[in-house]
Amino acid sequence: MAQFCLFFLLLLLFVPCALSRSLSSSNPHSQIFDVAESIKKTVQVLSPTSQTFQQEAITSTASNTSSISVSIYPRSALVKPRHKDYASLTLSRLERDSARVSSLTMKLTLSLTNFTHSDLKPVQTMLQPEDLQTPITSGASQGSGEYFTRLGLGQPAKEFYMVLDTGSDITWLQCEPCSDCYQQSDPVFNPSGSSTYSRVSCDDAHCSALEVSACGTNACLYQVSYGDGSFTVGEFATETVSFGNSGSFSKVAIGCGHDNEGLFVGAAGLIALGGGTLSLPSQIKASSFSYCFVDRDSASSSTLDFNSARPGDSVIAPLLRNSRRSTFFYVGLTGISVGGQMLSIPASVFQVDGSGNGGIIVDSGTAVTRLQTTAYNALRDSFVKFTQNLPSAGQFALFDTCYDLSSMTKVSVPTVALHFTGDKTLSLHPKNYLIAVDSSGKFCLAFAPTEGSLSIIGNIQQQGTRVSYDLASNLVGFSPDKC
């Protein structure tokens, strides 16, 4: 009898646990989302004692003579957020993100119209030699760019924090003398201190490849403008670019910005990883590059790699190009599923049409994935159907589907997966589509609609996944948990 009672007691203790595990794993179309861990990160990122990266901790490694690897890390590691709470930080991030999307949309729209490069000229008032006086610092406090790496420039090399951007083709940094320079973490680059700095002449092929250029005093002038009104203006030059101990490349064309205004606070400039002829991968003749973004509120780092082998478990998709806009990396997306059910989205939504409209790109600088309204509505409606048991929390900024998870530690949510050409499927982690917008337990579906034709896979959906761009074979690889 005593043995029976003991057995019965053990049964009561362990069977519920077994049942709980069974229930959580019996449905392949749902996942457990760690609410408590996500809220914890929102508190840590604003804590005065939270970790930040030290310059000496930024390292570069080379696994062989041809590959290059440098560290990348989130903005909060370089520029400490100065917000009263996480909700205001989120609003700031979303404001930058909306500006980013406007910039990409503007670039595409301009490419699809009948304009010529000769129609576009740099802002002349910013380029007069008499205006180039001693440096002053200015710029918005919220900053721009979510992920950074450290790049060496000049000879002898000096390292600078630079924003990673797959949506740009012109690498640039702030240069002395400054007409107007925003605040950056490193000293402003001084071309006179480098033995390899050389101005690009007006008849050079590099100058002709610029979308916006003019001829100054014995030098090619460039301008890069962004959709939010931010811009950089200066002289185009060639310089030695180095990647720590991984190697260096000479005569890389970059913009030396003497007037730089807008939302770039913190970084010295921008590394262009786009598909155009002037981008860094194109100029150093890289056959591939890859990156893995850690959580934006994390104190850890990952790497930006050039010419490295793609992880063997990558989900492979076609890397497509738009003949009207070589910068962007389009991907062969065929559909999206929620809770294991494919959404009713016409295939044409994710395809580039004959006029160059439509399609979906992978972008490092956009945070929130943008989908054409019909596709977004299908995604949202399906997600809401599977989460009727979760308390709704209305809207937050551009997010229209939010939940109050303040009373929960963990919660079951439906799976969300991206489906690519060739029946390849990338299943997203819950933290890639359900994000905290404050520290009180409010979480929102991290997708948004766009009225434009261009859809964008943003870096929230890329976090924790190594994204590999095989430029030689025109393939994109997604490998989860390879940071």
Side-chain angles (χ1 to χ4, degrees), residues 7 62-63 72 84 139 157 193 206 223 229 233 244 247 272 281 301 307 314-315 332 371 379 419 462 476:
F7 173 78
S63 57
I72 58 175
K84 63 180 181 179
H206 288 129
Q223 175 176 316
V233 183
S301 66
N307 301 326
S314 297
V315 175
L371 301 173
L379 171 65
H419 299 264
Q462 298 175 54
V476 181

PDB file of all heavy atoms in Angstrom, residues 7 62-63 72 84 139 157 193 206 223 229 233 244 247 272 281 301 307 314-315 332 371 379 419 462 476:
ATOM      1  N   PHE A   7       4.119   5.622  -5.476  1.00  0.00           N
ATOM      2  CA  PHE A   7       4.026   5.658  -6.930  1.00  0.00           C
ATOM      3  C   PHE A   7       3.003   6.703  -7.389  1.00  0.00           C
ATOM      4  O   PHE A   7       3.233   7.462  -8.331  1.00  0.00           O
ATOM      5  CB  PHE A   7       3.632   4.273  -7.452  1.00  0.00           C
ATOM      6  CG  PHE A   7       3.339   4.246  -8.930  1.00  0.00           C
ATOM      7  CD1 PHE A   7       4.381   4.229  -9.850  1.00  0.00           C
ATOM      8  CD2 PHE A   7       2.023   4.254  -9.392  1.00  0.00           C
ATOM      9  CE1 PHE A   7       4.104   4.219 -11.195  1.00  0.00           C
ATOM     10  CE2 PHE A   7       1.764   4.240 -10.740  1.00  0.00           C
ATOM     11  CZ  PHE A   7       2.799   4.222 -11.650  1.00  0.00           C
ATOM     12  N   ALA A  62      41.497  36.696 -39.370  1.00  0.00           N
ATOM     13  CA  ALA A  62      41.575  36.152 -40.727  1.00  0.00           C
ATOM     14  C   ALA A  62      41.739  34.644 -40.637  1.00  0.00           C
ATOM     15  O   ALA A  62      42.705  34.156 -40.065  1.00  0.00           O
ATOM     16  CB  ALA A  62      42.751  36.753 -41.490  1.00  0.00           C
ATOM     17  N   SER A  63      40.772  33.882 -41.175  1.00  0.00           N
ATOM     18  CA  SER A  63      40.854  32.432 -41.117  1.00  0.00           C
ATOM     19  C   SER A  63      41.751  31.873 -42.217  1.00  0.00           C
ATOM     20  O   SER A  63      42.280  30.799 -42.119  1.00  0.00           O
ATOM     21  CB  SER A  63      39.455  31.813 -41.229  1.00  0.00           C
ATOM     22  OG  SER A  63      38.832  32.242 -42.422  1.00  0.00           O
ATOM     23  N   ILE A  72      30.957  43.227 -35.709  1.00  0.00           N
ATOM     24  CA  ILE A  72      29.828  44.141 -35.835  1.00  0.00           C
ATOM     25  C   ILE A  72      29.017  44.074 -34.548  1.00  0.00           C
ATOM     26  O   ILE A  72      29.021  43.065 -33.854  1.00  0.00           O
ATOM     27  CB  ILE A  72      28.931  43.821 -37.053  1.00  0.00           C
ATOM     28  CG1 ILE A  72      28.398  42.389 -36.978  1.00  0.00           C
ATOM     29  CG2 ILE A  72      29.666  44.044 -38.336  1.00  0.00           C
ATOM     30  CD1 ILE A  72      27.418  42.070 -38.092  1.00  0.00           C
ATOM     31  N   LYS A  84      14.121  58.336 -21.484  1.00  0.00           N
ATOM     32  CA  LYS A  84      13.580  58.170 -20.134  1.00  0.00           C
ATOM     33  C   LYS A  84      13.046  56.772 -19.898  1.00  0.00           C
ATOM     34  O   LYS A  84      13.010  56.291 -18.770  1.00  0.00           O
ATOM     35  CB  LYS A  84      12.493  59.208 -19.871  1.00  0.00           C
ATOM     36  CG  LYS A  84      11.280  59.080 -20.798  1.00  0.00           C
ATOM     37  CD  LYS A  84      10.232  60.139 -20.474  1.00  0.00           C
ATOM     38  CE  LYS A  84       9.009  59.980 -21.387  1.00  0.00           C
ATOM     39  NZ  LYS A  84       7.966  60.988 -21.061  1.00  0.00           N
ATOM     40  N   GLY A 139      23.851  67.932 -35.229  1.00  0.00           N
ATOM     41  CA  GLY A 139      23.146  66.717 -35.624  1.00  0.00           C
ATOM     42  C   GLY A 139      22.099  66.328 -34.607  1.00  0.00           C
ATOM     43  O   GLY A 139      22.126  66.747 -33.455  1.00  0.00           O
ATOM     44  N   ALA A 157      47.053  53.489 -40.869  1.00  0.00           N
ATOM     45  CA  ALA A 157      45.618  53.275 -40.699  1.00  0.00           C
ATOM     46  C   ALA A 157      45.115  53.809 -39.372  1.00  0.00           C
ATOM     47  O   ALA A 157      45.764  53.657 -38.338  1.00  0.00           O
ATOM     48  CB  ALA A 157      45.313  51.778 -40.801  1.00  0.00           C
ATOM     49  N   GLY A 193      46.778  63.626 -42.968  1.00  0.00           N
ATOM     50  CA  GLY A 193      47.568  62.721 -42.152  1.00  0.00           C
ATOM     51  C   GLY A 193      47.772  61.361 -42.784  1.00  0.00           C
ATOM     52  O   GLY A 193      48.377  60.473 -42.174  1.00  0.00           O
ATOM     53  N   HIS A 206      35.523  56.634 -61.665  1.00  0.00           N
ATOM     54  CA  HIS A 206      34.832  56.627 -60.378  1.00  0.00           C
ATOM     55  C   HIS A 206      33.881  57.817 -60.270  1.00  0.00           C
ATOM     56  O   HIS A 206      32.776  57.699 -59.735  1.00  0.00           O
ATOM     57  CB  HIS A 206      35.841  56.673 -59.227  1.00  0.00           C
ATOM     58  CG  HIS A 206      36.587  55.394 -59.032  1.00  0.00           C
ATOM     59  ND1 HIS A 206      37.953  55.325 -58.950  1.00  0.00           N
ATOM     60  CD2 HIS A 206      36.144  54.109 -58.923  1.00  0.00           C
ATOM     61  CE1 HIS A 206      38.326  54.064 -58.781  1.00  0.00           C
ATOM     62  NE2 HIS A 206      37.246  53.313 -58.759  1.00  0.00           N
ATOM     63  N   GLN A 223      27.672  63.879 -53.648  1.00  0.00           N
ATOM     64  CA  GLN A 223      26.639  64.091 -52.634  1.00  0.00           C
ATOM     65  C   GLN A 223      25.786  62.840 -52.538  1.00  0.00           C
ATOM     66  O   GLN A 223      25.419  62.246 -53.557  1.00  0.00           O
ATOM     67  CB  GLN A 223      25.739  65.283 -52.963  1.00  0.00           C
ATOM     68  CG  GLN A 223      24.579  65.445 -51.957  1.00  0.00           C
ATOM     69  CD  GLN A 223      23.732  66.683 -52.216  1.00  0.00           C
ATOM     70  OE1 GLN A 223      24.247  67.758 -52.480  1.00  0.00           O
ATOM     71  NE2 GLN A 223      22.430  66.515 -52.174  1.00  0.00           N
ATOM     72  N   GLY A 229      16.081  63.708 -45.354  1.00  0.00           N
ATOM     73  CA  GLY A 229      16.707  65.012 -45.453  1.00  0.00           C
ATOM     74  C   GLY A 229      18.165  65.005 -45.059  1.00  0.00           C
ATOM     75  O   GLY A 229      18.873  65.998 -45.246  1.00  0.00           O
ATOM     76  N   VAL A 233      28.121  65.710 -48.185  1.00  0.00           N
ATOM     77  CA  VAL A 233      28.667  66.379 -49.360  1.00  0.00           C
ATOM     78  C   VAL A 233      30.164  66.564 -49.156  1.00  0.00           C
ATOM     79  O   VAL A 233      30.616  66.902 -48.057  1.00  0.00           O
ATOM     80  CB  VAL A 233      28.007  67.759 -49.584  1.00  0.00           C
ATOM     81  CG1 VAL A 233      28.552  68.409 -50.859  1.00  0.00           C
ATOM     82  CG2 VAL A 233      26.501  67.636 -49.655  1.00  0.00           C
ATOM     83  N   GLY A 244      41.518  45.519 -39.838  1.00  0.00           N
ATOM     84  CA  GLY A 244      42.301  45.007 -38.730  1.00  0.00           C
ATOM     85  C   GLY A 244      43.457  44.175 -39.223  1.00  0.00           C
ATOM     86  O   GLY A 244      44.249  44.607 -40.073  1.00  0.00           O
ATOM     87  N   GLY A 247      43.689  42.223 -43.489  1.00  0.00           N
ATOM     88  CA  GLY A 247      44.224  42.671 -44.764  1.00  0.00           C
ATOM     89  C   GLY A 247      43.774  44.072 -45.100  1.00  0.00           C
ATOM     90  O   GLY A 247      42.977  44.686 -44.372  1.00  0.00           O
ATOM     91  N   ALA A 272      29.229  51.097 -47.480  1.00  0.00           N
ATOM     92  CA  ALA A 272      28.228  50.729 -48.473  1.00  0.00           C
ATOM     93  C   ALA A 272      28.440  49.289 -48.919  1.00  0.00           C
ATOM     94  O   ALA A 272      29.480  48.947 -49.485  1.00  0.00           O
ATOM     95  CB  ALA A 272      28.310  51.667 -49.669  1.00  0.00           C
ATOM     96  N   PRO A 281      32.061  45.848 -51.435  1.00  0.00           N
ATOM     97  CA  PRO A 281      32.276  44.501 -51.981  1.00  0.00           C
ATOM     98  C   PRO A 281      32.683  44.521 -53.447  1.00  0.00           C
ATOM     99  O   PRO A 281      33.540  43.736 -53.878  1.00  0.00           O
ATOM    100  CB  PRO A 281      30.923  43.806 -51.784  1.00  0.00           C
ATOM    101  CG  PRO A 281      30.292  44.531 -50.642  1.00  0.00           C
ATOM    102  CD  PRO A 281      30.719  45.961 -50.820  1.00  0.00           C
ATOM    103  N   SER A 301      28.520  40.740 -29.649  1.00  0.00           N
ATOM    104  CA  SER A 301      28.836  41.159 -31.007  1.00  0.00           C
ATOM    105  C   SER A 301      28.868  39.952 -31.932  1.00  0.00           C
ATOM    106  O   SER A 301      28.813  38.812 -31.483  1.00  0.00           O
ATOM    107  CB  SER A 301      30.195  41.874 -31.042  1.00  0.00           C
ATOM    108  OG  SER A 301      31.235  40.970 -30.715  1.00  0.00           O
ATOM    109  N   ASN A 307      34.333  36.873 -48.343  1.00  0.00           N
ATOM    110  CA  ASN A 307      34.986  35.717 -48.978  1.00  0.00           C
ATOM    111  C   ASN A 307      35.073  34.501 -48.070  1.00  0.00           C
ATOM    112  O   ASN A 307      36.002  33.699 -48.183  1.00  0.00           O
ATOM    113  CB  ASN A 307      36.386  36.096 -49.470  1.00  0.00           C
ATOM    114  CG  ASN A 307      36.373  37.233 -50.464  1.00  0.00           C
ATOM    115  OD1 ASN A 307      35.445  37.370 -51.256  1.00  0.00           O
ATOM    116  ND2 ASN A 307      37.393  38.074 -50.410  1.00  0.00           N
ATOM    117  N   SER A 314      22.564  26.521 -44.419  1.00  0.00           N
ATOM    118  CA  SER A 314      21.843  27.713 -44.862  1.00  0.00           C
ATOM    119  C   SER A 314      20.608  27.375 -45.677  1.00  0.00           C
ATOM    120  O   SER A 314      20.611  26.433 -46.472  1.00  0.00           O
ATOM    121  CB  SER A 314      22.758  28.614 -45.703  1.00  0.00           C
ATOM    122  OG  SER A 314      23.844  29.099 -44.954  1.00  0.00           O
ATOM    123  N   VAL A 315      19.553  28.148 -45.457  1.00  0.00           N
ATOM    124  CA  VAL A 315      18.375  28.097 -46.321  1.00  0.00           C
ATOM    125  C   VAL A 315      18.690  28.989 -47.519  1.00  0.00           C
ATOM    126  O   VAL A 315      18.910  30.191 -47.370  1.00  0.00           O
ATOM    127  CB  VAL A 315      17.125  28.609 -45.582  1.00  0.00           C
ATOM    128  CG1 VAL A 315      15.930  28.656 -46.531  1.00  0.00           C
ATOM    129  CG2 VAL A 315      16.822  27.735 -44.378  1.00  0.00           C
ATOM    130  N   GLY A 332      14.233  35.821 -53.896  1.00  0.00           N
ATOM    131  CA  GLY A 332      13.114  35.075 -54.474  1.00  0.00           C
ATOM    132  C   GLY A 332      12.171  34.529 -53.419  1.00  0.00           C
ATOM    133  O   GLY A 332      12.194  33.325 -53.111  1.00  0.00           O
ATOM    134  N   LEU A 371       5.741  45.057 -45.773  1.00  0.00           N
ATOM    135  CA  LEU A 371       5.066  44.265 -46.794  1.00  0.00           C
ATOM    136  C   LEU A 371       3.997  45.105 -47.459  1.00  0.00           C
ATOM    137  O   LEU A 371       3.379  45.964 -46.812  1.00  0.00           O
ATOM    138  CB  LEU A 371       4.415  43.021 -46.171  1.00  0.00           C
ATOM    139  CG  LEU A 371       5.340  42.041 -45.445  1.00  0.00           C
ATOM    140  CD1 LEU A 371       4.505  40.967 -44.741  1.00  0.00           C
ATOM    141  CD2 LEU A 371       6.325  41.399 -46.415  1.00  0.00           C
ATOM    142  N   LEU A 379      -1.076  38.583 -43.336  1.00  0.00           N
ATOM    143  CA  LEU A 379      -0.219  38.133 -42.243  1.00  0.00           C
ATOM    144  C   LEU A 379      -0.815  38.498 -40.888  1.00  0.00           C
ATOM    145  O   LEU A 379      -0.925  37.661 -39.982  1.00  0.00           O
ATOM    146  CB  LEU A 379       1.170  38.756 -42.392  1.00  0.00           C
ATOM    147  CG  LEU A 379       2.141  38.579 -41.219  1.00  0.00           C
ATOM    148  CD1 LEU A 379       2.499  37.111 -41.039  1.00  0.00           C
ATOM    149  CD2 LEU A 379       3.396  39.403 -41.446  1.00  0.00           C
ATOM    150  N   HIS A 419       8.980  31.602 -47.155  1.00  0.00           N
ATOM    151  CA  HIS A 419       9.164  30.517 -48.117  1.00  0.00           C
ATOM    152  C   HIS A 419       9.788  31.070 -49.404  1.00  0.00           C
ATOM    153  O   HIS A 419       9.306  32.062 -49.955  1.00  0.00           O
ATOM    154  CB  HIS A 419       7.824  29.848 -48.422  1.00  0.00           C
ATOM    155  CG  HIS A 419       7.179  29.245 -47.204  1.00  0.00           C
ATOM    156  ND1 HIS A 419       7.315  27.911 -46.870  1.00  0.00           N
ATOM    157  CD2 HIS A 419       6.412  29.813 -46.228  1.00  0.00           C
ATOM    158  CE1 HIS A 419       6.661  27.679 -45.740  1.00  0.00           C
ATOM    159  NE2 HIS A 419       6.097  28.820 -45.335  1.00  0.00           N
ATOM    160  N   GLN A 462      16.022  39.503 -39.252  1.00  0.00           N
ATOM    161  CA  GLN A 462      17.321  38.889 -39.539  1.00  0.00           C
ATOM    162  C   GLN A 462      18.139  38.589 -38.283  1.00  0.00           C
ATOM    163  O   GLN A 462      19.120  37.842 -38.349  1.00  0.00           O
ATOM    164  CB  GLN A 462      18.142  39.808 -40.444  1.00  0.00           C
ATOM    165  CG  GLN A 462      17.536  40.087 -41.806  1.00  0.00           C
ATOM    166  CD  GLN A 462      18.344  41.098 -42.593  1.00  0.00           C
ATOM    167  OE1 GLN A 462      19.547  40.954 -42.794  1.00  0.00           O
ATOM    168  NE2 GLN A 462      17.692  42.167 -43.029  1.00  0.00           N
ATOM    169  N   VAL A 476      21.347  33.927 -51.888  1.00  0.00           N
ATOM    170  CA  VAL A 476      21.313  34.454 -50.528  1.00  0.00           C
ATOM    171  C   VAL A 476      21.083  33.278 -49.595  1.00  0.00           C
ATOM    172  O   VAL A 476      20.206  32.439 -49.844  1.00  0.00           O
ATOM    173  CB  VAL A 476      20.182  35.493 -50.336  1.00  0.00           C
ATOM    174  CG1 VAL A 476      20.209  36.043 -48.908  1.00  0.00           C
ATOM    175  CG2 VAL A 476      20.315  36.615 -51.337  1.00  0.00           C
TER     176      VAL A 476
END
